[in-house]
């Protein structure tokens, strides 16, 4: 499933999709950036509440398919522009991380 398809099938809001055709396989939930960097797998959907420039760096280094911001967290315009420049897909969920992850079951 692609990030675009995941967004549509789960009802997430697309914050920015510079590479929406990227394949999603699996998920990782975490807010401790060093932990995510060492454990998230390539093509994972990364679920977090963190929304700073370091998330973009970790997403790029880990080559995750997308970052899903849980609990209604969003990006400001400067972070959104940086994410687009770096090719990092961001989605938004109004749900807590656990419930956001439940939406992914059977899809990724």
């Amino acid at each position: 499933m692609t990030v675009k398809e995941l967004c549509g099938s789960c009802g997430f809001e697309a914050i920015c999709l510079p590479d929406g055709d990227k394949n999603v396989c699996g998920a990782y939930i975490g807010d401790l950036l060093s932990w995510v960097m060492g454990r998230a797998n390539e093509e994972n959907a990364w679920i977090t509440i963190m929304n700073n420039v370091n998330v973009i760096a970790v997403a790029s280094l880990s080559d995750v398919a997308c970052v899903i911001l849980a609990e209604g967290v969003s990006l400001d315009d400067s972070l959104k522009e940086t994410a687009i420049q770096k090719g990092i897909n961001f989605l938004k969920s109004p749900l807590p991380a656990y419930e956001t992850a439940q939406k992914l079951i059977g899809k990724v």
Side-chain angles (χ1 to χ4, degrees):
M1 172 172 286
T2 67
V3 175
K4 280 185 208 173
E5 292 168 339
L6 179 70
C7 186
S9 70
C10 293
F12 300 141
E13 178 185 334
I15 296 174
C16 62
L17 291 176
D19 191 8
D21 292 326
K22 193 166 189 173
N23 190 50
V24 182
C25 183
Y28 190 84
I29 302 172
D31 297 322
L32 184 58
L33 300 179
S34 60
W35 198 266
V36 173
M37 194 166 47
R39 289 172 173 77
N41 292 318
E42 184 178 326
E43 296 187 344
N44 276 173
W46 172 21
I47 302 168
T48 185
I49 58 164
M50 300 292 292
N51 67 343
N52 59 49
V53 71
N54 294 326
V55 171
I56 296 169
V58 170
S60 180
L61 288 169
S62 301
D63 201 23
V64 295
C66 63
V67 177
I68 303 173
L69 297 174
E71 301 205 24
V73 172
S74 196
L75 292 179
D76 66 31
D77 289 338
S78 66
L79 287 175
K80 189 184 303 184
E81 184 58 38
T82 302
I84 290 168
Q85 290 172 0
K86 301 288 184 181
I88 306 300
N89 299 305
F90 272 85
L91 309 177
K92 179 179 176 179
S93 170
L95 304 171
Y98 177 76
E99 292 173 30
T100 298
Q102 285 179 314
K103 289 201 166 260
L104 303 178
I105 295 171
K107 294 182 173 85
V108 297

